Amino acid sequence: MSTIIEMRGISKSFGPVAALSNVDFRLEPGSIHALMGENGAGKSTLMKILAGVLRPTSGEILLAGKPLSLSSPRDGLDAGISVVFQEQSLLANLTVAENMFLGREPRTRWGGIDYPTMRAKTREALAQLDLDFDPDRQVAELGIAERQFLEIAHGIHANARVMILDEPTAALNAADVDVLNRNIRRLASEGCAIVYVSHRLEEIFELCDTVTVLKDGALVGTRPVSEMNTASLIAMMVGRELSDMFPPRADETGAPMLGIEDMVLQPGAAALNLTVNAGEIVALAGLEGQGQSAIARALVGLHVPVSGHIHLKGQTVPLPLPRESGLLKMHAAGLGFVPEDRKEEGLLLNLSVAQNIALGRFAGVPAVAPASGTRAVVQRMMDAMNIKAAGPRARVGSLSGGNQQKVLFGRALAAEMDVLVIEEPTRGVDVGAKAEIYGLLRDFTAAGGAVLVLSREALELIGLADRIYVIHDNAIAGEIAATEATEHKLLDMALSGGKAENA
Amino acid sequence: DDVFIMEGVSPHPELKTTVEAGAFTAEAPWTIGMSHFGVNANTWTVQVSHEARAAAAADERIEELIILDAGFDQAKQVADIEDLIAQGVDALIVMPVTTTSANASIERAIAAGIPVVLHTGRIDSDAFTTEIQGGAEHFGAVMAEWLVEQTGGKGNIWVLRGLAGHPEDTNRYKGAIEAFEGTELTITAEQHGDWQYDQARNLCETLYLSNPDVDGIWSSGADMTRACVDVFKQFGAEIPPITGEGNNGYFGQWIEDGFASISSEYSPAQGAAGIRAATALLGGEPLYKHYVYRPAGWDVERAAEYYRDDLSANVWWPSELPEEKLVEIYGK
Amino acid sequence: MTTVLRAAGRIPPAYLVFAALLAFLMWERPQMMNPNVLGIFLRQVAPLGIVVLAQLLVVRVGSIDLSGGGVILLVNYIISANVLPNAPGIAFVAIALGIGTVVGAFNGYMVARRRVSAVIVTLAVSIILVGFVQYLSSGSPPGDVPDYMNDLFDIRFGPVPAPVLFWVILTTCLAAFLNLTVFGRRIEAIGDNSVAAHFAGVPVERTVILTHTLAGLLIGVAALVQTASIAVGSVREGLDLPILSVAATILGGVVFGRGQGGVWGPFFGVLSFALLFVSMTILGVSEPGRLIAQGLIIFAAAVIYGLRTR
Amino acid sequence: MLPLLVVIGIVTWLSIGTDEFARPGNLSNLLAQAMPLLIASIGQMFVIVVAGLDLSVGSVISFSTAILALDAPGYLTFPALFMLAALIGATNGIAVTRLNVHPIIATLAMQYVVLGVTRLIRPVSGGTVPEFVIASVQGSFLGVPMPVFWAITVLAIGWKVLHASRFGLHLFAIGGGMASGQTSAARNFGVPETRIIISAYVASSLFAALAGVFLAGRIVSGDPNVGMLFELNSITAVALGGTQLSGGVGSLQGTAIGAFLLALLSNGMNLANVSPFIQTVVKGGLLLAVVSFQRRRKMGL
Ligand SMILES: Nc1ncnc2c1ncn2[C@@H]1O[C@H](COP(=O)(O)OP(=O)(O)OP(=O)(O)O)[C@@H](O)[C@H]1O
Ligand SMILES: Nc1ncnc2c1ncn2[C@@H]1O[C@H](COP(=O)(O)OP(=O)(O)OP(=O)(O)O)[C@@H](O)[C@H]1O
Ligand SMILES: [Mg+2]
Ligand SMILES: [Mg+2]
């Protein structure tokens, strides 16, 4: 097979931080090439260089054997290199169609934008991904998974020779991943070279034919996937074997910490009840948009349910909570919330790691209180989670995606809550760090805390949780002990919602 | 004999054009419109509108006086005049913002048969009915001539100007420069204090600290004079001859501190003069087209005659406001 | 080495302008380089300096306050127009601080709770206050400011004029307050991303209202200092002060939602303006030249800074 | 759209309450009074959509009247004026993009410089404006007053550029990225960000120059102060019209209504005989009332 892209001796440093050093990377048309590595290994940086977003400090790129000079994303696009970035990059103020065609809008004879064509082609592109949303909808109105799909559609659409997907599935659930994989295979069969970055190992084995592993900015090696297994891949990435991903479950649980009583999420929906006990990790599973997120958010006033009550450590709080002060109120009562969208809702990207973590300790504290005594906690969190940063003063925005997630998580742990509600505990986190985060969560419950967790990864739910509630149509379709749960069972419950019905 | 316009105002010595008696006669009651260049610019401009109102109130034939405030905005003045014409006023009084901006709309008023009285500001056109002009050049020259006399025509002087770009500032300055011509006075500093106390104070402080060698100060307005005097007092320095303008606060300071000064006269009662000219036109009396207002400068004795300890700093003299009004508005 | 250079790159432009102008004055007018003279120059900008303290607070939470002109005018009017005959000085202080606080709280409420554009609200508030003074002054124009205020303004401690000392103390207090308290951390967080700050447990609305209120209080203080510096009442206050305060704040390295320059950056922004005005006056630069030079100097400083922080 | 309702309310009230308002003469006055602000606001909007601000608008307006009133033939001054305005805008744009200067600082510095230059070439108002400029503003064509044609033209241009061209879409894209803190989002889509932002500042200056031309025709002279406060008034009009100062959201019709509302306030208060001493309060109060009902999602500028 001929090589379409060859990156030779790529190095990149951000000030004192060397993100990449002397990395070689080759791509063949028709192949699906996995790019793996721990958080902060340099995967996104390498791909941004290939896309023309960043310029390498040294090294060269060849396109079909000819040197390629990329000074802006435009150049990348013109060279047929299309990217779905790890960080969502859609423009929320524009419509779906406008986002699809931004930068290459079809034009009318008069030089204006040909909106009818744009809409029609948008529909077509979305239909390929089994999607059907109105091209005139504002992206701001889309959910996170819908946005992710739109990004993918945008990338796929570009008729690219090289397609880079940087953690495209981080916000997708199993069913959506299937749709995506189908399309990726189709693209590959049409001769497109695909780079696939993901921390979900099972996807790599299912989809990819070649894997390149980076570690600390350096190339570890490139191998055919057929020669690898999970253990060897992890060893290659982490440098050691991971014995147990998930820590052991607690033997017994304590008194109820968090209870939801007769919560009606939407007019017409059934009332739902659930409890989370001290020492327990309880998960909410289900297909996208069935109400899991609404339940979690209703607990902090970010979703307005019709009615219901919360019981928190014996205290009863009527729903709905006020939008502005709900989160603070619950925070004061000992319930912390970790949002999924770390960029918009989670992190203060221009502030330091230390400040981001320390903020968790200041919630509910009077404004004039001294802001001190956080140094030790910050250090403890950074050590415990192995956060890779230049130091506590490093800007969070300069961290790799997975390390950002750890900072977000560190803040919640530092705040010393009794109950944590977590939307996606390990979005974009590498295997090693995942194990660390799971361990921390278990430590938290072992100390008497309670956790309510949402995740799109069924395996994570099964491995991590004690009990799982499956949500369907804004109501609880069933409850199952994690030890008895399998991916298949969960999907079945999620699809049917108790009855038989197609999704 | 001639219609009385205002104390100190007389027909132009050369331009003797007249307005025919009865040219604009209208049935009373009248509505008079006045476009003011900037009512709220400073306390002097406020007093002009008070003087106009008082004069209008004193004349039973006037049913209504509509004053619009251009706020130093030429475009707004054009709009104001258009709006006044639209309201069908019987006569129009204009205090122009600039020499050209209002010409077109003034011409439109004349074309609509509305007589236009102009004061406190000239325009570059003949298309008005009658004008009363104080003459900023005269104002500046009176002060400058006095300064030349005080200094013996030799030495260093500072020039404190008003708002940059404002015609009143430019013309006062022009008058002063002409009067300085041929003398041995050197202008060592020339700055714009915008007629404001705080700006002038900062300027005078800086100028004094940078070079205290000054033999006289030409100041284009009263608040700036007070600021500069305060600076010299603050440094315990002798106050050089400094020019001023007829305001009560400044008069008080002048009388108390007894420094060498002169006050140029520029009465806010020009507001009343405009009303009288307009009523004369509407009443069918004959007028001249051009009136001038070129009073001599005041010395401290004259200032003392007018100075009122019981009134606030911001009365400007001479005033035609009736005593009750003065006390009501300016009483301490 | 590179870290030193990077740190140098983050020095707000205000420091550069200040150093350059100071060097220029030393060379051009060495006799003026004594504490007494400099003290007087600093006193000229003390009111601006205090308004800048207010401005940098709200700018750090991504807002802006243009209502300063109106507040200062109203306070000046109340004190000079004899509205309260024979009122003791402390009453004026209370009124000034009261007006500032109420206006600030109102701005904060509108910006934080009602989510109205900060530029427009604070501008509208200023217009209303200016209009209110115009209305009042049509009945009774302002007169003199009580003498004791001028006397206070003229007090000196050694070479340091009282208003300057007061301004420096206020700046120090604010710097300490922002550095040491939870409030300071919250301001930073909101400035960076108010949504994320909310999720991090920051009471966003309350903090923004508090920030505006504090800014209003500071503007009330500035109004007192400004009034004390003017012996007379006024009916017109330009937008100079608010706009200059925004400029000084940004030159000091504090940009909407970001506060690299802290409190002292904008402080030096004001100092550079002081020296800038003084240099122009001393050089006898004409009005047009002054405007052009002022623009070019601000521009040059901002470009140097901009290129280094890119 | 609340401002629109307010406009309709005021118009209705004035038509019933005063005899003069609804006369064609006054309506054409009103249009002429609104026009300079409308033109400047459309320009300002380009910059605000990309999360910038242009404080040099007022100076450029004054500058433009000063150039037109130079003692030189119109066929020289007229094109020269637009070339200089484009240069001013390009400088602003380059400062903001390539030199990384905050828009407020860049355009404030420019405001000073341009005002200084204007004062040099025209210290006080005066001079003569080319006849064709005066005629194009004060005259009428086929019995329709010229300002009507101005309004149609600038609104059509504004509409085409903002809402019906790739350039306009790219403006909104860039602004949307800025508003959400992803400063390079649009760039990653291949939008030539720098070039477009610079063009926005150029457009703002060109529109300001055009507003200056209209004003010069109205006041038939050059004036160094005529543009004063236009920067703030244009920002106010744009924001009143619902455009977010954080970028990415806004509409031309909103801006037009905003500008019209401000002009209507002055005209209406003049006709309704509101005393000049309380006109300012009323204006500020109405502004506050209108804007306080325009809740937005994000707080800030
Ligand atoms: N803009 C930046 N400024 C400074 N450092 C940066 C910047 N972008 C990335 N880095 C650093 O470069 C290194 C590589 O980051 P990169 O985002 O490429 O990691 P990654 O392999 O994609 O990790 P993840 O799996 O967490 O997404 C990290 O140490 C990161 O902190
Ligand atoms: N562990 C750390 N290492 C380096 N910088 C830190 C650390 N923790 C906080 N910082 C940063 O240092 C500055 C001061 O932080 P802060 O005052 O909160 O520390 P602290 O926890 O109070 O320390 P101490 O208890 O010793 O006073 C902040 O800018 C913060 O971001
Ligand atoms: Mg990455
Ligand atoms: Mg500390």
Side-chain angles (χ1 to χ4, degrees):
Chain A
M1 235 187 285
S2 61
T3 303
I4 176 140
I5 286 283
E6 179 162 9
M7 299 177 84
R8 276 197 208 146
I10 302 285
S11 298
K12 171 76 186 172
S13 39
F14 298 98
V17 181
L20 289 174
S21 46
N22 201 20
V23 173
D24 297 330
F25 188 68
R26 294 156 62 98
L27 279 177
E28 269 90 45
S31 101
I32 305 176
H33 195 132
L35 183 59
M36 303 287 291
E38 288 179 290
N39 294 131
K43 305 181 291 294
S44 298
T45 306
L46 188 66
M47 291 304 103
K48 281 181 189 163
I49 289 171
L50 183 52
V53 174
L54 294 175
R55 286 210 231 186
T57 316
S58 63
E60 59 174 350
I61 305 172
L62 304 178
L63 175 72
K66 292 194 198 75
L68 180 63
S69 152
L70 300 168
S71 56
S72 78
R74 180 80 261 170
D75 296 343
L77 290 170
D78 291 346
I81 301 168
S82 173
V83 207
V84 175
F85 291 101
Q86 176 177 15
E87 306 301 334
Q88 298 220 339
S89 53
L90 294 175
L91 293 159
N93 61 326
L94 302 186
T95 65
V96 169
E98 284 167 344
N99 267 284
M100 280 291 283
F101 282 88
L102 191 57
R104 52 192 163 87
E105 304 82 358
R107 272 186 269 183
T108 61
R109 218 176 323 151
W110 316 107
I113 299 175
D114 185 357
Y115 274 98
T117 308
M118 214 157 101
R119 282 190 200 103
K121 287 201 176 170
T122 302
R123 276 219 180 77
E124 236 172 74
L126 291 173
Q128 284 189 351
L129 289 169
D130 284 355
L131 295 173
D132 176 29
F133 37 81
D134 183 358
D136 286 330
R137 250 171 95 188
Q138 277 224 330
V139 166
E141 298 166 15
L142 303 181
I144 194 160
E146 285 176 308
R147 284 189 193 206
Q148 185 66 49
F149 258 121
L150 180 54
E151 298 234 22
I152 294 166
H154 174 264
I156 288 180
H157 175 83
N159 267 345
R161 286 194 280 177
V162 177
M163 170 98 199
I164 301 166
L165 296 144
D166 195 350
E167 301 196 33
T169 55
L172 301 185
N173 62 25
D176 293 336
V177 171
D178 281 344
V179 177
L180 178 63
N181 287 354
R182 238 181 18 242
N183 280 282
I184 291 177
R185 286 198 191 94
R186 180 179 56 79
L187 280 174
S189 70
E190 287 166 9
C192 186
I194 290 166
V195 186
Y196 191 86
V197 182
S198 174
H199 290 291
R200 298 187 184 175
L201 299 184
E202 70 277 12
E203 288 172 9
I204 305 300
F205 290 101
E206 208 182 302
L207 192 64
C208 303
D209 42 48
T210 316
V211 57
T212 292
V213 175
L214 296 181
K215 183 167 172 59
D216 295 331
L219 180 68
V220 177
T222 301
R223 309 255 193 289
V225 170
S226 54
E227 290 175 9
M228 310 288 294
N229 60 32
T230 311
S232 64
L233 185 54
I234 290 177
M236 200 168 158
M237 278 164 56
V238 187
R240 66 192 150 94
E241 303 257 338
L242 270 187
S243 51
D244 254 329
M245 191 74 175
F246 297 104
R249 295 193 172 79
D251 301 331
E252 55 193 61
T253 59
M257 293 284 275
L258 173 69
I260 297 177
E261 185 189 340
D262 293 337
M263 183 197 291
V264 179
L265 277 180
Q266 268 177 12
L272 53 88
N273 292 279
L274 62 82
T275 39
V276 186
N277 300 320
E280 199 179 27
I281 298 179
V282 170
L284 299 182
L287 297 181
E288 191 65 30
Q290 293 298 308
Q292 305 93 300
S293 172
I295 295 173
R297 294 196 158 223
L299 294 176
V300 284
L302 295 166
H303 174 84
V304 183
V306 179
S307 61
H309 285 87
I310 306 174
H311 300 286
L312 184 64
K313 296 192 291 174
Q315 226 179 314
T316 302
V317 186
L319 291 172
L321 287 160
R323 214 167 225 296
E324 279 311 324
S325 58
L327 195 136
L328 295 174
K329 221 184 220 165
M330 297 309 281
H331 213 293
L335 181 144
F337 182 81
V338 182
E340 165 180 20
D341 188 346
R342 61 176 172 249
K343 204 164 157 190
E344 301 275 327
E345 300 181 334
L347 290 169
L348 302 153
L349 294 176
N350 289 310
L351 303 189
S352 67
V353 173
Q355 279 167 309
N356 269 280
I357 294 178
L359 263 185
R361 315 242 333 159
F362 298 145
V365 169
V368 292
S372 61
T374 54
R375 199 170 289 263
V377 190
V378 168
Q379 203 54 57
R380 185 151 50 82
M381 290 303 153
M382 292 188 66
D383 292 345
M385 275 185 286
N386 192 17
I387 294 176
K388 263 195 208 114
R393 283 171 192 279
R395 213 172 58 87
V396 166
S398 74
L399 266 52
S400 76
N403 279 303
Q404 292 185 5
Q405 180 70 24
K406 294 193 216 166
V407 172
L408 180 59
F409 207 70
R411 174 162 75 215
L413 290 181
E416 296 185 342
M417 297 285 114
D418 301 307
V419 180
L420 286 182
V421 178
I422 304 169
E423 281 193 328
E424 277 291 328
T426 60
R427 181 167 164 206
V429 172
D430 69 45
V431 272
K434 264 184 192 167
E436 283 157 15
I437 286 180
Y438 298 146
L440 284 167
L441 275 178
R442 267 301 159 200
D443 292 348
F444 174 76
T445 52
V451 175
L452 181 65
V453 63
L454 275 61
S455 174
R456 294 193 178 86
E457 280 186 76
L459 286 178
E460 172 168 290
L461 293 180
I462 296 167
L464 177 66
D466 296 296
R467 273 186 303 130
I468 302 171
Y469 290 98
V470 181
I471 311 298
H472 178 84
D473 202 9
N474 293 310
I476 293 177
E479 183 190 339
I480 184 167
T483 44
E484 287 158 29
T486 62
E487 254 184 296
H488 184 79
K489 271 191 198 165
L490 287 183
L491 190 62
D492 209 36
M493 287 166 81
L495 281 173
S496 65
K499 298 147 278 177
E501 172 185 279
N502 36 359
Chain B
D1 57 351
D2 289 347
V3 173
F4 169 76
I5 300 290
M6 195 181 90
E7 201 66 55
V9 167
S10 56
H12 196 287
E14 286 112 46
L15 305 171
K16 293 289 191 187
T17 322
T18 53
V19 184
E20 212 177 301
F24 294 99
T25 315
E27 196 92 2
W30 302 315
T31 299
I32 296 178
M34 176 168 171
S35 169
H36 192 309
F37 57 61
V39 175
N40 298 303
N42 54 44
T43 50
W44 187 88
T45 54
V46 173
Q47 193 172 337
V48 171
S49 64
H50 282 303
E51 302 267 358
R53 269 194 208 294
D59 191 327
E60 276 144 24
R61 295 168 298 173
I62 300 178
E63 187 185 37
E64 193 179 7
L65 170 67
I66 304 171
I67 302 180
L68 294 182
D69 176 12
F72 280 118
D73 179 345
Q74 297 83 330
K76 171 112 178 12
Q77 180 157 55
V78 173
D80 285 349
I81 296 174
E82 284 169 354
D83 293 346
L84 287 170
I85 299 171
Q87 291 188 70
V89 293
D90 295 298
L92 192 59
I93 301 170
V94 178
M95 297 166 66
V97 178
T98 70
T99 51
T100 47
S101 55
N103 296 8
S105 37
I106 288 174
E107 279 162 23
R108 222 168 294 154
I110 295 288
I114 303 171
V116 177
V117 176
L118 214 61
H119 68 78
T120 41
R122 265 186 280 276
I123 63 170
D124 281 355
S125 145
D126 253 0
F128 50 85
T129 314
T130 189
E131 70 172 345
I132 307 154
Q133 297 299 356
E137 287 96 339
H138 172 76
F139 185 101
V142 165
M143 301 197 226
E145 280 156 12
W146 174 83
L147 211 54
V148 171
E149 194 186 295
Q150 286 288 310
T151 53
K154 276 202 293 282
N156 296 334
I157 55 168
W158 297 346
V159 171
L160 295 183
R161 300 180 57 173
L163 199 61
H166 194 278
E168 189 70 21
D169 166 67
T170 321
N171 292 335
R172 287 181 180 186
Y173 174 74
K174 211 189 284 169
I177 292 301
E178 274 164 22
F180 288 141
E181 223 147 75
T183 67
E184 289 168 44
L185 288 171
T186 323
I187 298 179
T188 52
E190 180 189 316
Q191 295 287 333
H192 287 267
D194 298 2
W195 289 306
Q196 303 272 359
Y197 181 95
D198 52 338
Q199 303 215 30
R201 178 163 178 157
N202 290 352
L203 283 179
C204 284
E205 272 178 0
T206 308
L207 292 175
Y208 180 83
L209 292 172
S210 144
N211 182 5
D213 177 21
V214 59
D215 303 300
I217 301 171
W218 183 91
S219 154
S220 164
D223 279 351
M224 296 201 297
T225 311
R226 294 177 71 188
C228 223
V229 167
D230 281 347
V231 168
F232 280 88
K233 283 163 73 178
Q234 167 194 332
F235 291 125
E238 197 188 330
I239 303 165
I242 181 168
T243 65
E245 184 185 358
N247 123 315
N248 203 41
Y250 161 65
F251 280 2
Q253 191 189 39
W254 189 9
I255 294 164
E256 193 185 316
D257 294 332
F259 47 86
S261 183
I262 187 176
S263 166
S264 252
E265 177 186 325
Y266 200 54
S267 170
Q270 288 172 86
I275 300 286
R276 273 193 293 272
T279 52
L281 289 170
L282 294 174
E285 292 169 76
L287 278 189
Y288 288 96
K289 179 159 183 168
H290 305 280
Y291 289 90
V292 291
Y293 171 41
R294 290 178 181 166
W298 294 19
D299 56 18
V300 72
E301 285 75 31
R302 177 106 192 257
E305 281 169 36
Y306 279 82
Y307 176 65
R308 291 275 300 268
D309 195 24
D310 61 327
L311 298 183
S312 90
N314 283 321
V315 200
W316 297 77
W317 303 115
S319 165
E320 280 185 22
L321 288 173
E323 178 62 21
E324 344 54 275
K325 267 277 171 214
L326 275 177
V327 174
E328 179 197 324
I329 302 177
Y330 297 104
K332 276 199 195 167
Chain C
M1 190 58 206
T2 40
T3 39
V4 174
L5 279 179
R6 292 194 137 237
R10 281 200 298 271
I11 291 179
Y15 293 98
L16 307 176
V17 184
F18 178 73
L21 287 171
L22 198 65
F24 169 77
L25 278 178
M26 269 180 194
W27 171 67
E28 176 68 20
R29 287 282 193 286
Q31 80 275 15
M32 289 175 73
M33 286 301 107
N34 71 63
N36 287 310
V37 173
L38 288 177
I40 287 184
F41 291 158
L42 297 195
R43 189 180 67 174
Q44 296 178 352
V45 292
L48 174 63
I50 299 171
V51 174
V52 164
L53 295 182
Q55 198 64 260
L56 74 90
L57 272 176
V58 294
V59 165
R60 287 181 86 161
V61 292
S63 185
I64 198 169
D65 188 347
L66 299 177
S67 67
V71 172
I72 291 175
L73 185 61
L74 181 59
V75 169
N76 172 285
Y77 178 82
I78 290 177
I79 294 179
S80 65
N82 219 17
V83 180
L84 307 164
N86 305 323
I90 191 74
F92 289 138
V93 173
I95 288 174
L97 301 189
I99 291 174
T101 309
V102 168
V103 169
F106 177 78
N107 289 340
Y109 171 81
M110 296 302 273
V111 171
R113 185 86 20 111
R114 298 207 58 88
R115 305 279 159 104
V116 181
S117 158
V119 172
I120 306 299
V121 181
T122 58
L123 203 58
V125 165
S126 188
I127 293 175
I128 292 175
L129 294 177
V130 170
F132 184 53
V133 169
Q134 289 176 354
Y135 167 70
L136 292 177
S137 69
S138 71
S140 155
D144 275 355
V145 171
D147 285 339
Y148 61 83
M149 293 197 87
N150 281 300
D151 296 343
L152 271 177
F153 189 73
D154 284 335
I155 292 177
R156 281 152 162 275
F157 300 92
V160 186
V164 175
L165 185 68
F166 182 62
W167 169 31
V168 172
I169 292 176
L170 217 53
T171 306
T172 313
C173 291
L174 188 69
F177 184 61
L178 290 183
N179 274 335
L180 300 179
T181 61
V182 167
F183 183 68
R185 300 297 156 87
R186 287 185 178 157
I187 283 185
E188 269 178 308
I190 294 170
D192 189 37
N193 177 347
S194 60
V195 176
H198 174 69
F199 278 90
V202 173
V204 175
E205 292 190 354
R206 203 178 341 135
T207 306
V208 172
I209 293 176
L210 204 63
T211 307
H212 265 285
T213 309
L214 196 58
L217 180 76
L218 284 167
I219 289 174
V221 174
L224 281 173
V225 177
Q226 169 86 350
T227 302
S229 77
I230 318 180
V232 291
S234 160
V235 288
R236 193 180 187 82
E237 182 65 48
L239 274 156
D240 279 24
L241 216 49
I243 294 277
L244 271 183
S245 70
V246 175
T249 302
I250 299 178
L251 276 183
V254 176
V255 190
F256 299 96
R258 261 185 302 141
Q260 279 183 342
V263 172
W264 294 103
F267 178 84
F268 276 88
V270 178
L271 293 192
S272 356
F273 279 165
L275 293 191
L276 189 57
F277 301 151
V278 166
S279 307
M280 299 285 167
T281 306
I282 290 175
L283 292 186
V285 181
S286 68
E287 186 71 13
R290 205 182 165 107
L291 288 164
I292 294 173
Q294 207 163 300
L296 290 180
I297 289 173
I298 293 176
F299 196 75
V303 167
I304 293 173
Y305 180 58
L307 287 180
R308 295 208 298 186
T309 48
R310 189 154 51 175
Chain D
M1 275 231 59
L2 183 75
L4 182 61
L5 295 181
V6 175
V7 166
I8 293 171
I10 295 178
V11 167
T12 318
W13 175 65
L14 285 171
S15 316
I16 296 169
T18 69
D19 302 335
E20 302 87 13
F21 180 80
R23 291 201 189 133
N26 184 59
L27 292 181
S28 96
N29 284 351
L30 183 58
L31 197 58
Q33 290 166 18
M35 198 50 53
L37 182 60
L38 175 67
I39 301 172
S41 304
I42 293 176
Q44 182 74 259
M45 190 180 164
F46 280 81
V47 173
I48 290 183
V49 165
V50 291
L53 274 183
D54 190 349
L55 296 182
S56 68
V57 163
S59 291
V60 173
I61 290 176
S62 304
F63 177 71
S64 140
T65 68
I67 296 280
L68 275 184
L70 279 177
D71 203 9
Y75 59 81
L76 286 183
T77 51
F78 198 75
L81 144 70
F82 282 99
M83 257 142 66
L84 290 170
L87 193 65
I88 292 170
T91 312
N92 282 335
I94 289 170
V96 169
T97 52
R98 296 222 182 276
L99 307 179
N100 194 22
V101 178
H102 193 279
I104 290 185
I105 292 292
T107 58
L108 184 70
M110 187 57 82
Q111 178 196 328
Y112 287 140
V113 173
V114 175
L115 187 59
V117 173
T118 308
R119 291 246 166 94
L120 278 181
I121 53 182
R122 180 143 292 291
V124 268
S125 68
T128 40
V129 172
E131 209 38 62
F132 72 90
V133 172
I134 300 174
S136 75
V137 172
Q138 300 196 357
S140 62
F141 181 67
L142 302 174
V144 181
M146 290 310 283
V148 175
F149 298 106
W150 277 77
I152 294 171
T153 312
V154 293
L155 285 174
I157 294 176
W159 175 263
K160 170 75 190 148
V161 178
L162 270 172
H163 294 305
S165 75
R166 298 177 73 207
F167 176 69
L169 178 61
H170 291 178
L171 285 177
F172 281 96
I174 293 168
M178 303 245 182
S180 63
Q182 327 169 37
T183 34
S184 58
R187 192 173 163 262
N188 288 346
F189 278 93
V191 171
E193 194 170 66
T194 309
R195 214 169 66 211
I196 290 198
I197 295 180
I198 293 175
S199 310
Y201 281 90
V202 170
S204 173
S205 281
L206 289 178
F207 272 91
L210 193 63
V213 171
F214 188 92
L215 269 174
R218 224 166 126 69
I219 64 173
V220 297
S221 57
D223 190 296
N225 291 336
V226 71
M228 228 161 55
L229 290 186
F230 259 91
E231 59 280 350
L232 285 175
N233 285 336
S234 60
I235 294 170
T236 306
V238 172
L240 261 183
T243 297
Q244 306 237 333
L245 300 188
S246 49
V249 177
S251 69
L252 181 74
Q253 59 271 35
T255 300
I257 290 166
F260 199 67
L261 177 57
L262 289 182
L264 188 63
L265 277 182
S266 312
N267 180 257
M269 283 195 286
N270 279 353
L271 293 186
N273 233 331
V274 178
S275 143
F277 291 108
I278 63 168
Q279 284 205 359
T280 315
V281 180
V282 175
K283 181 180 169 196
L286 257 167
L287 199 58
L288 193 59
V290 171
V291 83
S292 63
F293 285 102
Q294 289 185 310
R295 292 197 61 158
R296 311 175 303 170
R297 226 158 33 87
K298 282 176 67 170
M299 65 173 81
L301 296 182

